[in-house]
Amino acid sequence: MSRADTRPARRGRRTPEEGPRATFRQLVPFLLEHRTVLIVVAILSIIGAVATLAQPLLVGQVIAQVEAGGGLGLLVWGIIALVVAASVISGFQHYLLQRTGTAVVYSSRRQLVARILHLPIREFDARRTGDLVSRVGTDTTLLYAVLTQGLADAVGNSLIFIGALVAMALIDPLLLLAIVVVIGVSITGVVVLSGRIRRATGEQQEKVGELASSVERAVSSIRTVRAAGATEREVTEITGVATDAYGVGVRIAKVSALVV
């Protein structure tokens, strides 16, 4: 029997399911600190979307001119200018998002550290140390992913999507209908699988917190562990937790592969 099995459980220890769920409203104050930059990013996203939608139109004009035997004139230079402009806008937008995401993580970590260190002592008795540490480290990094992987870019992507639908409606309504059906089926699948991904991600975060807690406990009492000759037992126990986290990660990868 492992050491973890013989340790008495702390009274009142909370599980992730018992705690409150984070909401988008809680993220808003962190975003409002950088609202000017986010507005600029949204504007750049719209401009980039317009440039992206204009490129196929110019290419169509080039093809029409070639078929008619006319000169290309400024059309080629227009396409080059659009491509260059879209690249510059995308690069600058990426930089602003990365910088803002880093700033949001910094703000959240600063407030979270202050919050944790002012918690009542009973909260420390009810929670594992590794869970609290992972909140400051791993969990706050998720804010960075949320901000840099689609939140601010949603405006431009939505505009591109709407523009593509309008263009397809003008070119081939039947093709548009088929694509709408496919998109509807895809969205349904994503909604169904997102619940499984969310639950598995929560379980993975719990395993990561348990891993951090186990490592912290073993390192802080390393002299006792060495004196008791329990080094290999601790290694086996902690490796088991890491293996569980790996298994959950693989399960997330399998479900996510169905969404991509």
Side-chain angles (χ1 to χ4, degrees):
M1 182 177 296
S2 67
R3 183 176 176 179
D5 297 329
T6 59
R7 279 198 313 271
R10 290 181 179 178
R11 296 178 58 186
R13 173 170 291 179
R14 300 176 183 176
T15 61
E17 290 76 10
E18 295 173 349
R21 289 184 178 274
T23 62
F24 180 77
R25 182 179 299 178
Q26 294 172 306
L27 179 61
V28 171
F30 297 102
L31 298 179
L32 290 179
E33 294 180 7
H34 311 279
R35 56 181 174 272
T36 302
V37 177
L38 292 178
I39 291 174
V40 172
V41 169
I43 294 174
L44 291 177
S45 181
I46 294 174
I47 296 175
V50 172
T52 301
L53 291 172
Q55 291 176 26
L57 297 178
L58 288 181
V59 171
Q61 292 292 327
V62 169
I63 295 175
Q65 287 290 338
V66 171
E67 291 178 348
L72 298 180
L74 297 177
L75 288 177
V76 174
W77 290 108
I79 294 176
I80 295 175
L82 279 178
V83 172
V84 172
S87 300
V88 172
I89 291 173
S90 177
F92 187 55
Q93 179 186 1
H94 178 77
Y95 164 73
L96 291 178
L97 278 177
Q98 297 291 322
R99 191 185 70 175
T100 305
T102 302
V104 168
V105 171
Y106 166 69
S107 299
S108 62
R109 283 175 175 169
R110 184 181 57 192
Q111 296 185 27
L112 187 57
V113 167
R115 173 65 176 170
I116 289 176
L117 295 182
H118 285 87
L119 286 174
I121 296 300
R122 65 176 181 274
E123 293 292 336
F124 293 96
D125 294 334
R127 302 174 187 271
R128 289 189 295 257
T129 302
D131 290 337
L132 298 176
V133 173
S134 67
R135 296 297 178 267
V136 178
T138 306
D139 290 6
T140 52
T141 307
L142 296 177
L143 294 177
Y144 180 85
V146 169
L147 186 61
T148 59
Q149 295 179 8
L151 180 59
D153 201 38
V155 177
N157 290 337
S158 300
L159 184 59
I160 293 176
F161 179 73
I162 294 173
L165 289 180
V166 172
M168 283 188 291
L170 296 176
I171 296 173
D172 192 338
L174 184 60
L175 177 61
L176 173 62
L177 178 61
I179 292 178
V180 169
V181 172
V182 172
I183 292 176
V185 173
S186 300
I187 292 177
T188 302
V190 169
V191 171
V192 172
L193 294 175
S194 62
R196 295 175 58 185
I197 295 176
R198 183 172 59 251
R199 289 190 296 271
T201 302
E203 183 180 351
Q204 185 183 45
Q205 291 301 106
E206 171 67 10
K207 293 297 181 182
V208 171
E210 184 179 350
L211 176 63
S213 180
S214 299
V215 173
E216 187 273 338
R217 172 181 51 78
V219 171
S220 62
S221 58
I222 188 63
R223 290 180 175 82
T224 303
V225 172
R226 293 286 178 84
T231 302
E232 292 303 321
R233 183 174 61 185
E234 290 291 339
V235 170
T236 301
E237 180 180 337
I238 296 174
T239 301
V241 178
T243 302
D244 292 341
Y246 166 77
V248 177
V250 171
R251 192 163 75 247
I252 293 174
K254 291 179 180 179
V255 179
S256 300
L258 300 176
V259 178
V260 177

